Amino acid sequence: LAGYFYSVKTHDRDSLMRAGITVSISSMFMIFIMSLLHQTEIRTLLIDTLLYGTLIGFITFVMTTGLLPAYEKIFNVVTPHKLLELSNPEELLLKRLLIEAPGTYHHSIMVGNLAETAAEAVGADALLTRIAAYYHDIGKLKRPYFFIENQIHGSSQLNDVSPTLASLVVSSHVKDGTEMARQAGVPEEIVTMINEHHGTCLISFFYQQAQADSKSRSEVSE
């Protein structure tokens, strides 16, 4: 219980070390009480308390740190430590985004900051929300220059294609992102957010554009 309460919802490895120290102190207290109840001589009592208490905390810390990656993999659990690893700019997908679509990368970081603040306000998992935001637009890596944030001169290539094709390009980055994330082994919780981040509504901008281009507005199917 001491280890749990000191390590739950922690975001760094140092917290596991502090949890190990807490386990040591708790163990020393319990060993001391049990030794007193068994009327152990004072010298043995002190040695047992310090030696075994320290050993229990150390083994707890080492086993937790060593087994955590296996635990995450076997039980498909997303821990804060795994999420922090995914936030590393050296992660393959984030590095590609930074190099191939820098505008989208900057946009994703900004969305992450906003989403984290919103998640904190409603009591949601702020870290998971922020990391998911970093990855939400990775599908744009397939066609980065079709999106205006990656255009040097601020003009999108979508202006040169029909509204129907433009809407397909925009919506396809969601499907592409979902596939790329799964191939890269990104946790399913983040893949779900990538898949849902555009909702299921009509892309109204291109629909209105198609209506404007059409002779009869009734001919344009939503």
Side-chain angles (χ1 to χ4, degrees), residues 63-212:
M63 289 188 67
T64 302
T65 305
L67 293 174
L68 193 58
Y71 169 75
E72 291 169 345
K73 196 77 174 175
I74 294 169
F75 296 102
N76 195 29
V77 174
V78 182
T79 65
H81 308 289
K82 176 64 176 176
L83 291 171
L84 289 173
E85 288 173 7
L86 288 169
S87 70
N88 187 343
E90 289 299 311
E91 280 288 319
L92 181 60
L93 288 174
L94 289 185
K95 192 170 185 177
R96 282 190 60 197
L97 204 63
L98 177 60
I99 295 169
E100 299 173 33
T104 299
Y105 179 84
H106 180 263
H107 158 74
S108 298
I109 298 298
M110 292 296 101
V111 171
N113 293 338
L114 289 168
E116 182 180 39
T117 304
E120 287 172 349
V122 298
D125 190 331
L127 182 61
L128 174 62
T129 305
R130 173 162 61 87
I131 305 308
Y134 288 176
Y135 285 81
H136 82 281
D137 264 348
I138 56 173
K140 291 181 179 180
L141 283 169
K142 286 282 183 77
R143 306 170 192 86
Y145 293 108
F146 273 90
F147 298 91
I148 196 164
E149 67 265 26
N150 299 312
Q151 288 286 328
I152 296 172
H153 301 295
S155 59
S156 173
Q157 292 182 10
L158 293 177
N159 296 334
D160 301 325
V161 299
S162 69
T164 302
L165 181 57
S167 66
L168 286 173
V169 170
V170 169
S171 60
S172 67
H173 88 271
V174 177
K175 178 175 175 291
D176 293 335
T178 301
E179 292 173 355
M180 292 169 72
R182 286 206 173 105
Q183 288 170 3
V186 173
E188 198 60 32
E189 286 87 341
I190 294 177
V191 174
T192 300
M193 294 195 199
I194 294 171
N195 192 41
E196 294 179 354
H197 83 270
H198 263 281
T200 57
C201 299
L202 180 73
I203 304 177
S204 59
F205 176 83
F206 296 117
Y207 178 65
Q208 291 166 10
Q209 197 175 57
Q211 283 186 318

